[in-house]
Amino acid sequence: MLTAEETRRYSRQIQLPEIGLEGQDRIGAGRVLVAGLGGLGSIGAYYLAAAGVGHLRLVDRDRVALDNLNRQILHASADIGRSKAASAAEKLSRLNPHCRVEAIETDIGDENAEALIEGCSVIFDATDNRATRQVLNRASVRRHVPFVYGGISGWQGTASTFIPGQTPCFSCLFPPMAETVEAEPPPALGPTAGLVASLQCLDTLRLLIGLVPRLAGRLLQFSGSTMEFRTLAIEPNPHCPVCSRLQYPSSP
Amino acid sequence: MNTTMRITVNGIPEDVPPSATLADLIDLLHEIDRDLIVEHNGRFVFPQEYSVTQVAGGDRVEFIHPNFGG
C-alpha cells in the first residue's frame, strides 16, 4: 500500500494505464539484482530506484576509477577509489529513500551467483564481459529468474531478455567457451550505455508489473553511428548446454 | 552459366560463388567475430546450421556483431 508521499512521487507513471496503483505496488514489491555498477548499471540502477523498485541488490567488485567517469554517471570525481557498489548505494538511497539498497563488493562466480540472485525477481545484467554473463545465465536458468541482458561497445549496443523455459537463454546465442580476457577494454560512450540500460529498464519494469517483456525472444542491435535499431526473432538452441533440458511451450 | 550470384550482405550487394553456404560467406568476407549472429532472409540461424545453409541469388544476409561491454 502506497503512502500519500509515494503516490505523489510516482504519480506521473501511475497515470499509465499499464501501471496504475496496482502496477506501482508490484514495482515496489520487486527485488532486482543489478550486476555491475558501471556504464549500464549507473543508468539502470538509477531508473529502477527512481521508478520505485522496492529492493535493489547492487553487486560490483570494482572501485571507481577516473576513466569510468565519462559514462558511469552514478559516480562522481570525489568517489574515485571507493567501492562502486557503496558509491551507487549512497546516491540511490538519496534519490529514493523508499528503495532498500544492498551494496555487495564481490566478484560474481558460479560459487556465489545463486546466492546473489536469491529472492530476486529479475537479474539486470550490467556486467562488462562474456564470462560473468555465462555465470549469471547459468544461475538464471537453474533458479528460473529472468535475465535482462545488455551490452555495449562504442556506438553499438545489444540487448535481449531471457526467460527460462520460455525464450532462448544467453548461452543459446553465445555458447560457453574458453573465455579470454580482452587485452584492451572496448571503447565506451556514455549515451550508448544510457540508451541500452534504459531499454533494459523498460523490460525490467514490464517484468515486475507482469507485462510481457518486449525483448523476450528477440535480439536487439542498436547502432548509434547510423541511428538504427534492428531486432531479430531468436529461438532456443536445441544444442544449448545450459537450457536445452528445459521444457519449452510448443508454440511460443 | 553464371559463375557468381548476387546477394545482399549488410545492405551491400556482393557477388559470391553459386551454392555458397553461410559458412563459406563467413570465410569469404573474413568475419572473424566468434560471437557473430547471422540473419538469413530475416531468419536467425544457429552456428551449427552455417555449413549446411546455402544461399541463393537475391538472398539477404546480415552479420550482427553483439556487444559485451558494460
Side-chain angles (χ1 to χ4, degrees):
Chain A
M1 190 63 188
L2 298 173
T3 62
E5 191 269 351
E6 286 171 293
T7 306
R8 181 77 185 152
R9 177 184 288 262
Y10 307 123
S11 57
R12 297 293 292 274
Q13 64 193 47
I14 288 172
Q15 286 178 26
L16 286 164
E18 298 89 342
I19 298 183
L21 288 168
E22 194 183 328
Q24 190 61 48
D25 273 337
R26 290 183 183 175
I27 293 171
R31 184 183 304 197
V32 177
L33 172 75
V34 181
L37 276 308
L40 294 169
S42 279
I43 302 298
Y46 215 70
Y47 274 136
L48 294 176
V53 173
H55 189 149
L56 292 178
R57 185 172 294 152
L58 312 174
V59 182
D60 202 306
R61 67 179 171 194
D62 287 334
R63 292 180 169 260
V64 179
L66 181 60
D67 63 3
N68 299 155
L69 299 181
N70 74 318
R71 64 198 185 281
Q72 302 184 14
I73 59 176
L74 205 43
H75 314 298
S77 303
D79 295 315
I80 290 170
R82 279 182 83 190
S83 146
K84 286 189 184 177
S87 160
E90 181 201 319
K91 316 304 182 345
L92 298 172
S93 301
R94 211 186 295 156
L95 169 68
N96 189 347
H98 303 290
C99 179
R100 186 175 159 218
V101 183
E102 271 178 278
I104 304 175
E105 187 180 355
T106 185
D107 247 328
I108 300 172
D110 281 314
E111 68 292 347
N112 65 355
E114 288 189 50
L116 289 171
I117 69 172
E118 180 68 40
C120 291
S121 34
V122 182
I123 300 167
F124 188 100
D125 163 41
T127 61
D128 62 359
N129 66 86
R130 212 173 173 286
T132 309
R133 290 186 174 97
Q134 298 287 4
V135 168
L136 287 172
N137 182 61
R138 283 190 283 273
S140 152
V141 169
R142 280 196 212 110
R143 303 301 289 268
H144 287 78
V145 179
F147 176 64
V148 180
Y149 153 61
I152 57 143
S153 180
W155 301 92
Q156 320 293 323
T158 314
S160 187
T161 297
F162 303 116
I163 305 190
Q166 292 180 32
T167 72
C169 78
F170 182 79
S171 300
C172 286
L173 300 185
F174 311 113
M177 55 177 85
E179 301 291 349
T180 49
V181 177
E182 300 287 333
E184 282 282 313
L189 194 58
T192 310
L195 188 135
V196 171
S198 296
L199 296 171
Q200 292 176 268
C201 281
L202 288 172
D203 252 8
T204 300
L205 291 174
R206 292 185 72 89
L207 280 162
L208 295 178
I209 295 161
L211 300 170
V212 174
R214 293 301 183 200
L215 287 180
R218 296 163 86 195
L219 184 76
L220 180 145
Q221 184 73 22
F222 166 72
S223 168
S225 50
T226 59
M227 288 294 184
E228 284 180 317
F229 287 86
R230 291 182 68 83
T231 56
L232 176 62
I234 50 176
E235 291 163 27
N237 190 337
H239 298 281
C240 178
V242 177
C243 78
S244 58
R245 286 185 300 276
L246 290 182
Q247 293 294 309
Y248 287 95
S250 51
S251 52
Chain B
M1 185 173 152
N2 284 342
T3 53
T4 62
M5 61 181 177
R6 177 154 290 193
I7 63 169
T8 306
V9 180
N10 289 1
I12 298 166
E14 292 278 355
D15 293 313
V16 302
S19 77
T21 63
L22 290 174
D24 296 332
L25 290 185
I26 289 167
D27 277 347
L28 202 66
L29 300 171
H30 309 292
E31 287 288 347
I32 53 165
D33 185 348
R34 64 179 188 166
D35 296 309
L36 185 70
I37 296 281
V38 178
E39 181 182 345
H40 178 215
N41 293 334
R43 192 182 73 87
F44 169 74
V45 185
F46 287 116
Q48 65 262 26
E49 297 169 346
Y50 295 165
S51 61
V52 294
T53 306
Q54 288 193 332
V55 290
D59 279 5
R60 287 170 297 107
V61 175
E62 291 285 330
F63 290 133
I64 298 167
H65 300 273
N67 309 116
F68 299 106

